[in-house]
Amino acid sequence: MKSMDMPRLVRWIPPSVSSIKINVDGSCNGSNGLCGAGGLLCDCEGHWITGFSANVGKIGVIATELYAIRRGLMICAELGYSSVWCESDSKEAIRLCLLPSIPQHHHFAVIIADIHHLLRQSWNCHLSHVLREGNSCADLLAKSCVNQVDILKLWQTPPAFMSSALLVDALVVTFLT
């Protein structure tokens, strides 16, 4: 840590009572280039609603992060939620999603246009950045699927490997970074 950097307290922040929260993440394996995306929906008490993990092939880290945001928003829309808070630990993906317009020939124009379309639906949807430590459950889902056979797996119940991380979030444990 640089001497001028102030330590920060980081934790998973629950959504308001009338909202749900989706945390999403992308992960790329440095040794083989395979990428995975994951995300989970939780209520205001940190209870699991649903989750997803997807093996997205070798598409690169930003495309994987954007895929995770799009897939998460699609699930929220399909389930009919009217108030959604979506968090990602990718500042660049969030920045791209919040651009008022995207050049037609931008490398990620199609997926960003899909996200813009989802954001314009008749719901209250907020995108924001979260530090990695506040996004650990989505990170676990993203890393778990890099080598999975299923292209997309929907989790109606949390996988066993997530129990400790979900408990940390539900108890609102704070980390010093």
Side-chain angles (χ1 to χ4, degrees):
M1 176 170 25
K2 297 175 191 168
S3 61
M4 295 180 64
D5 288 345
M6 295 297 295
R8 294 182 280 188
L9 299 176
V10 180
R11 64 182 175 91
W12 181 80
I13 300 171
S16 66
V17 174
S18 61
S19 295
I20 61 106
K21 186 171 185 183
I22 181 152
N23 284 80
V24 297
D25 197 17
S27 178
C28 293
N29 185 322
S31 64
N32 62 15
L34 291 174
C35 300
L40 65 152
L41 280 71
C42 291
D43 65 15
C44 64
E45 295 179 358
H47 297 136
W48 177 277
I49 298 171
T50 192
F52 73 92
S53 56
N55 179 332
V56 296
K58 296 180 179 185
I59 64 173
V61 67
I62 297 300
T64 303
E65 297 281 359
L66 290 167
Y67 175 94
I69 292 168
R70 179 180 64 183
R71 175 59 60 191
L73 293 177
M74 288 170 64
I75 291 170
C76 292
E78 289 166 5
L79 293 176
Y81 289 104
S82 60
S83 184
V84 175
W85 178 11
C86 178
E87 279 190 326
S88 167
D89 60 10
S90 173
K91 285 183 181 179
E92 180 62 10
I94 294 293
R95 186 189 72 75
L96 289 169
C97 291
L98 296 178
L99 288 173
S101 64
I102 192 81
Q104 181 179 358
H105 301 294
H106 189 281
H107 189 65
F108 303 121
V110 172
I111 193 166
I112 294 169
D114 287 350
I115 293 167
H116 283 183
H117 174 74
L118 286 162
L119 292 173
R120 286 191 303 270
Q121 294 199 14
S122 59
W123 62 350
N124 177 21
C125 185
H126 174 73
L127 292 179
S128 64
H129 175 258
V130 63
L131 295 175
R132 183 175 41 92
E133 294 83 359
N135 207 35
S136 60
C137 289
D139 181 64
L140 283 172
L141 283 168
K143 286 179 177 169
S144 75
C145 63
V146 168
N147 294 312
Q148 78 185 19
V149 175
D150 300 325
I151 292 173
L152 175 65
K153 181 165 180 61
L154 299 177
W155 299 90
Q156 299 308 314
T157 58
F161 64 82
M162 292 191 59
S163 59
S164 295
L166 286 168
L167 181 60
V168 165
D169 281 358
L171 294 174
V172 194
V173 173
T174 304
F175 300 93
L176 181 64
T177 63

